[in-house]
Amino acid sequence: DLALEALRKARALDPGRLKLRRTLALLETAPARAAESSAGGKRAGVDEFWAPYDEKLEDWFLQVPQEGPLVDKAASIIALDITVTRVEKDGSHSEYVHQATKLLSEESKDDQANVRTAGEVVLLRTVTPSGESLEPVAAEGGHSWVMPGLEKGAFVEHAYRADSPERHGGELRLSSFYFQDMRFKESFLVSRYVLLLPEGVEPGILESNVRADARGRPGKVDLARVEKT
């Protein structure tokens, strides 16, 4: 009780500390989460803000083409490339990144051998061509991982979240998002960027090198998708 009270006071003093808010929410809902877990219900207090916009890799296994322009000359294909960013009124924000890459060549094994996660790991695995999931070994540095079981036809999947504190009046600049590989070595199957904003916030979004006819076309990217909450 004393620890919870201390955390509540810290939250009141600095509400932009997102990790503190998450920790407090988990502690306050621990009894409810235990009860719901045993009943198979939704986990209370777990802040998975990205869930409505995310994808399950298993649903896309058969969607990756075996031939054609997406794979014929590509070393690998990114089956899922999803970023969901949620911005709070004080400028604090959370970012969720989810990528899954299918290896199409021997060259891609070297490219995918090490994965870096710039935040708290949500999911990290290799899925072999036979469907077996393998967990990686942590490399030196804490955010680098050596992926096991790499072979042609395997998928390397990782997802993480990163929380950033409030800006205290400073300008907020979010990370850039690319709908294609600037090296032109990898193809993309699903590339999605979602921005969740508080009501009344109007962002400035810079688009670069985008075809004028890309927006709104079936099978094309939905550019600058903005959700207001």
Side-chain angles (χ1 to χ4, degrees):
D1 291 342
L2 291 176
L4 280 175
E5 185 60 29
L7 288 173
R8 293 188 182 106
K9 290 180 179 179
R11 179 183 60 184
L13 291 172
D14 191 359
R17 295 178 59 186
L18 299 181
K19 288 185 178 180
L20 171 62
R21 287 162 51 180
R22 288 174 53 208
T23 299
L24 185 57
L26 288 171
L27 292 173
E28 289 177 332
T29 58
R33 284 187 292 112
E36 291 177 355
S37 177
S38 62
K42 184 178 179 180
R43 297 178 297 171
V46 178
D47 179 30
E48 295 181 348
F49 63 91
W50 59 84
Y53 315 100
D54 203 10
E55 299 285 347
K56 293 180 63 176
L57 176 58
E58 286 79 1
D59 295 337
W60 290 90
F61 281 157
L62 299 181
Q63 303 300 319
V64 178
Q66 301 297 316
E67 57 184 16
L70 284 179
V71 297
D72 284 348
K73 297 182 179 180
S76 57
I77 180 170
I78 298 181
L80 300 177
D81 179 34
I82 299 171
T83 294
V84 183
T85 302
R86 181 184 63 189
V87 179
E88 307 291 349
K89 290 183 177 181
D90 60 8
S92 58
H93 56 283
S94 300
E95 183 178 71
Y96 170 78
V97 175
H98 181 191
Q99 287 191 331
T101 302
K102 184 177 183 180
L103 283 62
L104 302 176
S105 66
E106 291 297 316
E107 176 189 1
S108 61
K109 290 170 59 175
D110 294 332
D111 294 335
Q112 300 298 322
N114 294 88
V115 169
R116 290 191 59 82
T117 53
E120 178 184 331
V121 174
V122 176
L123 177 65
L124 189 59
R125 63 174 178 167
T126 297
V127 182
T128 68
S130 64
E132 182 182 5
S133 290
L134 304 176
E135 295 183 357
V137 177
E140 186 176 355
H143 292 287
S144 181
W145 307 85
V146 179
M147 304 305 295
L150 298 187
E151 59 180 299
K152 186 177 178 179
F155 286 86
V156 173
E157 182 180 23
H158 71 275
Y160 64 87
R161 68 172 292 164
D163 297 314
S164 300
E166 63 180 296
R167 303 296 296 173
H168 297 288
E171 183 181 20
L172 174 61
R173 288 181 176 268
L174 300 175
S175 302
S176 299
F177 184 85
Y178 299 90
F179 288 98
Q180 67 178 23
D181 179 16
M182 294 184 296
R183 305 168 303 165
F184 299 103
K185 294 176 62 178
E186 295 179 305
S187 299
F188 284 69
L189 187 62
V190 176
S191 188
R192 177 182 300 160
Y193 179 68
V194 179
L195 179 60
L196 305 171
L197 297 173
E199 186 175 358
V201 174
E202 295 295 336
I205 298 178
L206 177 64
E207 300 173 7
S208 178
N209 298 323
V210 177
R211 286 176 49 180
D213 62 346
R215 188 188 306 276
R217 291 178 56 190
K220 301 297 182 181
V221 293
D222 181 12
L223 300 173
R225 174 179 178 179
V226 178
E227 302 268 347
K228 296 183 180 180
T229 57

